[in-house]
Amino acid sequence: MTEHEDIVDAELIDDRLPAIPEDRVPAVPLAEEDPDAWLPPEAQEDVQAGIPEETANAYEGDMRRFAEWCATVGRRVMPAAPQTVTAYMSYLKRTPREKTGRPYGPNSMDRIIASIRSSHRAAGFKPPDTMGARKVVAGYRAQLSSANDPAAQPKKASAADRTVLREALAALDRTTLAGKRDAALMLLGHALASRGSELVPLDWPTSFSNLPEDEEQDGFRARVYRKKRKKWQNVDVVLDPESDLCAVRAVRDLVAALADEGHTEGALFLRMDRWGYLAPPMTRRNKKTGVVEPIGDPAGRMTKEAASDIVERSIGRTGRPGHWRSHSTRRGFVKSARQAGVDIVDIGRHGGWDDKSKALIGYVDEEDSRGERNPLAQIGRAAVKRRQQEEQG
């Protein structure tokens, strides 16, 4: 999912919900009908096109589980009473999930409340008052925070900076096609400060161009679509003095290896099977029909989940603890740049963050303000320097 994997944008998907069986939804219309409260089919399609698929899937799953709980306790799904939503949050707070063995975290519960409200709008009902439900979540978050429980905070990907990448790449067989792909994926993700969803859509050669000759730099310019900001950005990637950490060389090695396999244009990052065959067909049996159906991109482009699996597997070989996902290279870029003394504004503009981005500040780890960067240490050094200047003057 997104960088905080349990969290999606709130209340965005009215026209994709509710995911509730019709026989469980009572036909209770809104008290006041608005004759203009309808959309033509093309407008509905336009709305759906603006809804991230992962957001829609998360909300639909939330509503399915809410409907199942309502059925077990004899409560109405729609229109849900405020007390029903409050009771459901209390239930979620106390009930371990089968998948994790732990209850939902507060951030997931916030999303579930948004799912319920959006589902009501989609079905033509007034959303229930969720003040009580949100108080349950707020108290739960405070309880976890005071106990120093990590569940109180969004689960962030660990930062894969140059040190981490060097270790991961040392354990990678870069003579194979899969090894070249994995190295290029991690190094380019770090160099572009990209999300997995921004990295896997890149095509060769159409997403790349050589740097202008007047810049006197060897490398390339990548055209990246920054999904969060909904903007295209040209990102310059130059040769790295450390060849094993050079994204330019890694991408060129991968392109040459793909050309040897007859793949000269199209997706840069392709799925492979364990024998190294490119774009193997993928199928899955439909649980409802029993029919085996093809899945995945027909051209073999890997998914962002597959990109995360590569990062997790590659860094996992080093034995380093952490939550390693494709987003780790984006966070790692920030850490690498800060260690090199790069100005935070330059970091943000290279990585596609807004100049006032709170998310970027959130990527700056606590240890970034320790040691030489400790504010008190810097104040002390400045005071000593000022006193020396006064004495010399």
Side-chain angles (χ1 to χ4, degrees), residues 4-231:
H4 305 320
E5 294 188 337
D6 248 354
I7 303 174
V8 292
D9 296 332
E11 302 183 28
L12 296 178
I13 59 175
D14 293 358
D15 294 289
R16 289 290 296 275
L17 292 173
I20 297 176
E22 291 184 3
D23 60 354
R24 293 184 184 172
V25 183
V28 182
L30 287 172
E32 297 179 3
E33 294 288 349
D34 184 346
D36 286 341
W38 62 280
L39 289 174
E42 63 272 17
Q44 294 181 11
E45 292 177 3
D46 290 341
V47 171
Q48 291 181 14
I51 301 166
E53 182 179 359
E54 60 197 18
T55 300
N57 292 340
Y59 274 36
E60 288 172 0
D62 291 339
M63 286 310 302
R64 183 176 61 253
R65 289 182 286 271
F66 177 58
E68 292 169 353
W69 176 81
C70 286
T72 63
V73 298
R75 287 179 176 263
R76 187 179 63 238
V77 182
M78 283 195 181
Q83 292 83 355
T84 296
V85 185
T86 301
Y88 186 50
M89 292 301 108
S90 180
Y91 164 80
L92 294 179
K93 169 187 171 182
R94 291 173 167 81
T95 306
R97 300 166 64 189
E98 182 178 347
K99 181 179 179 181
T100 64
R102 290 175 56 94
Y104 277 101
N107 298 289
S108 296
M109 292 165 67
D110 281 337
R111 184 199 67 213
I112 292 168
I113 292 173
S115 300
I116 293 171
R117 290 178 60 83
S118 287
S119 294
H120 278 67
R121 291 195 186 92
F125 298 112
K126 181 179 179 180
D129 186 306
T130 55
M131 181 180 294
R134 295 188 185 280
K135 285 184 177 179
V136 171
V137 177
Y140 184 32
R141 181 177 281 109
Q143 174 188 339
L144 293 174
S145 295
S146 64
N148 200 27
D149 192 313
Q153 300 297 327
K155 191 173 185 180
K156 296 182 179 181
S158 302
D161 61 2
R162 289 172 70 90
T163 300
V164 174
L165 290 177
R166 183 179 289 105
E167 292 180 9
L169 293 168
L172 192 65
D173 183 0
R174 297 176 70 170
T175 65
T176 66
L177 180 58
K180 294 177 188 295
R181 178 201 61 185
D182 296 356
L185 184 142
M186 289 189 290
L187 289 172
L188 188 59
H190 181 271
L192 299 177
S194 64
R195 302 172 178 86
S197 58
E198 298 168 349
L199 189 63
V200 295
L202 295 177
D203 289 325
W204 184 269
T206 56
S207 298
F208 299 85
S209 59
N210 291 327
L211 290 176
E213 294 181 2
D214 59 0
E215 294 192 7
E216 299 181 354
Q217 292 274 16
D218 186 10
F220 51 66
R221 179 167 290 163
R223 187 156 177 79
V224 182
Y225 183 65
R226 299 297 188 184
K227 294 191 68 174
K228 288 290 185 179
R229 298 187 68 190
K230 297 178 175 58
K231 291 179 60 175

Side-chain angles (χ1 to χ4, degrees), residues 347-364:
I347 293 173
R349 291 177 180 174
H350 181 93
W353 284 277
D354 184 89
D355 284 350
K356 298 179 181 179
S357 172
K358 294 182 179 179
L360 175 57
I361 298 300
Y363 285 5
V364 178

Side-chain angles (χ1 to χ4, degrees), residues 260-331:
D260 290 340
E261 298 293 327
H263 182 81
T264 58
E265 61 181 21
L268 178 62
F269 297 112
L270 295 169
R271 64 175 183 264
M272 303 175 194
D273 62 20
R274 55 182 166 177
W275 295 284
Y277 291 106
L278 288 175
M282 298 174 61
T283 59
R284 181 170 57 199
R285 185 176 299 278
N286 188 305
K287 293 182 180 179
K288 293 183 179 179
T289 65
V291 177
V292 176
E293 301 171 338
I295 60 173
D297 183 81
R301 187 187 305 275
M302 69 166 46
T303 63
K304 63 179 182 180
E305 290 79 15
S308 281
D309 290 342
I310 287 173
V311 175
E312 181 179 32
R313 182 171 61 247
S314 299
I315 301 179
R317 295 192 190 101
T318 69
R320 273 184 173 268
H323 181 58
W324 305 110
R325 311 299 293 161
S326 60
H327 209 80
S328 294
T329 57
R330 180 167 168 84
R331 290 202 71 206

